[in-house]
Amino acid sequence: SNNQYALGWGRPSVLHAVVVIFLEFFAWGLLTVPVVNVMAKAFPSYTFLMNGMIQGVKGILSFLSAPLVGALSDVWGRKSWLLVTVFCTCLPIPLLKISAWWYFAVFSLSGVFSVTFSVVFAYVADITDDSDRTAAYGMVTATFFASFIVSPALGSYIAETYGDVSVVLLSTAIALLDVLFIVACVPESLPTRPKNWGAPITWEQADPFQSLRSGVQDNHILQLGLIILLSYLPEAAQYSCMFLYLRQVIGFSEDDVATFIAVIGVLSVTAQTLILAFLYNCVGHKTTMVIGLAFQVLQLIWFGLGMSKWMMWCAGVLASASSITYPAISAYASQSADAEQQGLLQGILTGIRGLSNGFGPAVFGLLFYFFHVQLDETSIDEAETDISANSDKYTSMSLPGGPFLFGALLAFVAL
């Protein structure tokens, strides 16, 4: 009946999920430069290390809470938890120019509910069948990359022209628009939601460790979880430091980095929409995952050994091809779960991804320290007038890209 889609616009569709993801991450993409500026001022001597610690706390909290949030969305419905996760994820945004310490504190604690992907993937699983799910997941993750194609450059331009406060205000407005879109336009994907909303839950359902134990006891989910951990940890670490690495070690200019982000973003969107669906139809889920992991191993090796700009561009193309891995894994996993457990399953996988997202930057931060490579914004500012000389210093070193080779090893184990 139409009542089951009440308080929403039309029937549940992948488009609703795509808009939610795009607005959330576009808002955060705008803040790329202001966040770096605030972090450099708050932690001038240990910028990269502190970033790793903050992301680590957030990642641990996401790891613990994501299975619980997913399981509760199975009981109470997706829409309410989409609202909660988006609101809490974006809550730190307006604090950025109010108080840096409050921003970093709330940002770390927001990891409890910063698991929008788990609810979105469960939402998509509710409304798609097995044959369409891979393409739908690819569209969602492609939207994530699409949101970062222009938002960092746009945020940087606005910050230079009108100041950081203007960027924060625009980002806050987009986040509020996302919340309003969920309230007014997103229909519930679970028809039983009106009956179950507010229904009592057992302690077993509310215990986050019970959700994790359920996943660990399922060998299939455990294997997929380990694959995500081993593959996404180096990916998260790579994206946290890659642009600083390109600036300081390879000698990219600020415009080069902006172009690199845009081009790789477009290629990633293409890979996760057209190429992912093509591979699934030709070779199936498992082979698609293997191909994605193979591309990841190759691009990490290339990043680790390359010391010239053209090699970084080649590695970036390989990195965009490897972006098909996570949506392929999520779609493959969703086939093994009942309709009533999609939220729990995606919550467990998103929790592991959040853990990797937290620990990845910290691990690479330590590895760069061992390889005597200092990555922080103050180093860029000091060497801005002679960035080529700065990169020549690293070219003469034994192996400045060693952390990427360690990441390639982890991805190879996942493969």
Side-chain angles (χ1 to χ4, degrees):
S1 66
N2 291 332
N3 289 336
Q4 69 188 34
Y5 304 117
L7 301 178
W9 176 55
R11 290 179 174 270
S13 68
V14 178
L15 178 62
H16 291 101
V18 163
V19 172
V20 170
I21 288 293
F22 181 82
L23 291 176
E24 177 180 323
F25 288 99
F26 189 86
W28 277 107
L30 289 172
L31 294 180
T32 302
V33 171
V35 167
V36 169
N37 292 339
V38 170
M39 181 165 285
K41 291 178 181 178
F43 313 107
S45 301
Y46 306 99
T47 307
F48 196 72
L49 178 61
M50 290 305 300
N51 177 63
M53 293 179 64
I54 292 169
Q55 293 286 353
V57 172
K58 183 179 181 181
I60 292 173
L61 293 176
S62 296
F63 174 68
L64 294 175
S65 66
L68 172 60
V69 171
L72 291 180
S73 75
D74 289 331
V75 178
W76 289 348
R78 312 295 186 206
K79 178 172 180 171
S80 56
W81 285 102
L82 277 177
L83 183 62
V84 170
T85 55
V86 170
F87 177 82
C88 292
T89 301
C90 296
L91 186 61
I93 291 177
L95 298 176
L96 185 63
K97 299 306 292 184
I98 297 174
S99 169
W101 291 101
W102 272 108
Y103 167 79
F104 291 121
V106 175
F107 179 83
S108 300
L109 296 176
S110 71
V112 174
F113 292 110
S114 295
V115 290
T116 308
F117 259 107
S118 67
V119 185
V120 165
F121 275 6
Y123 186 96
V124 171
D126 295 337
I127 59 178
T128 57
D129 54 33
D130 290 345
S131 61
D132 298 328
R133 196 164 297 154
T134 301
Y137 280 177
M139 188 176 296
V140 171
T141 54
T143 301
F144 167 77
F145 280 92
S147 67
F148 283 99
I149 291 176
V150 297
S151 57
L154 178 61
S156 177
Y157 171 77
I158 295 174
E160 291 178 3
T161 307
Y162 303 104
D164 286 355
V165 174
S166 299
V167 185
V168 173
L169 289 175
L170 177 60
S171 179
T172 302
I174 293 174
L176 287 175
L177 178 62
D178 199 9
V179 170
L180 292 175
F181 177 79
I182 295 171
V183 172
C185 300
V186 175
E188 175 57 52
S189 63
L190 293 177
T192 57
R193 181 264 181 193
K195 299 178 182 178
N196 289 345
W197 172 245
I201 60 174
T202 64
W203 167 247
E204 186 175 275
Q205 289 173 307
D207 180 8
F209 295 101
Q210 176 60 35
S211 301
L212 291 172
R213 284 193 294 269
S214 299
V216 171
Q217 291 170 1
D218 187 320
N219 289 331
H220 184 64
I221 295 178
L222 179 61
Q223 290 172 357
L224 292 175
L226 288 174
I227 292 172
I228 290 177
L229 179 66
L230 291 170
S231 63
Y232 196 74
L233 190 146
E235 180 179 329
Q238 179 182 17
Y239 282 105
S240 73
C241 67
M242 182 169 62
F243 308 120
L244 289 175
Y245 183 83
L246 292 175
R247 293 285 316 273
Q248 292 186 237
V249 179
I250 307 301
F252 272 45
S253 68
E254 192 170 316
D255 290 339
D256 290 338
V257 172
T259 304
F260 187 90
I261 293 173
V263 172
I264 301 309
V266 171
L267 292 177
S268 297
V269 170
T270 304
Q272 294 177 49
T273 51
L274 301 179
I275 297 177
L276 179 61
F278 173 78
L279 287 175
Y280 167 70
N281 291 328
C282 292
V283 298
H285 282 302
K286 185 173 181 178
T287 305
T288 301
M289 287 191 296
V290 171
I291 292 173
L293 289 170
F295 275 121
Q296 184 179 15
V297 173
L298 290 175
Q299 63 96 357
L300 284 167
I301 292 175
W302 211 315
F303 265 110
L305 298 179
M307 289 304 301
S308 60
K309 291 184 179 181
W310 73 267
M311 294 186 73
M312 293 300 102
W313 278 102
C314 292
V317 173
L318 293 173
S320 65
S322 71
S323 66
I324 66 174
T325 305
Y326 185 73
I329 293 174
S330 297
Y332 179 69
S334 70
Q335 292 183 324
S336 64
D338 297 332
E340 297 79 14
Q341 294 183 318
Q342 289 293 336
L344 171 61
L345 170 67
Q346 298 299 336
I348 292 173
L349 298 184
T350 302
I352 295 172
R353 191 182 184 192
L355 188 67
S356 302
N357 203 40
F359 278 105
V363 171
F364 266 38
L366 290 174
L367 289 174
F368 276 119
Y369 174 78
F370 289 138
F371 282 92
H372 306 290
V373 179
Q374 182 182 4
L375 297 182
D376 57 58
E377 289 293 317
T378 54
S379 295
I380 289 179
D381 294 337
E382 292 168 0
E384 192 71 43
T385 57
D386 194 9
I387 197 164
S388 61
N390 192 47
S391 62
D392 289 341
K393 177 187 70 173
Y394 290 113
T395 304
S396 64
M397 292 174 54
S398 56
L399 199 63
F404 296 114
L405 297 179
F406 175 76
L409 177 63
L410 294 181
F412 180 77
V413 173
L415 179 61

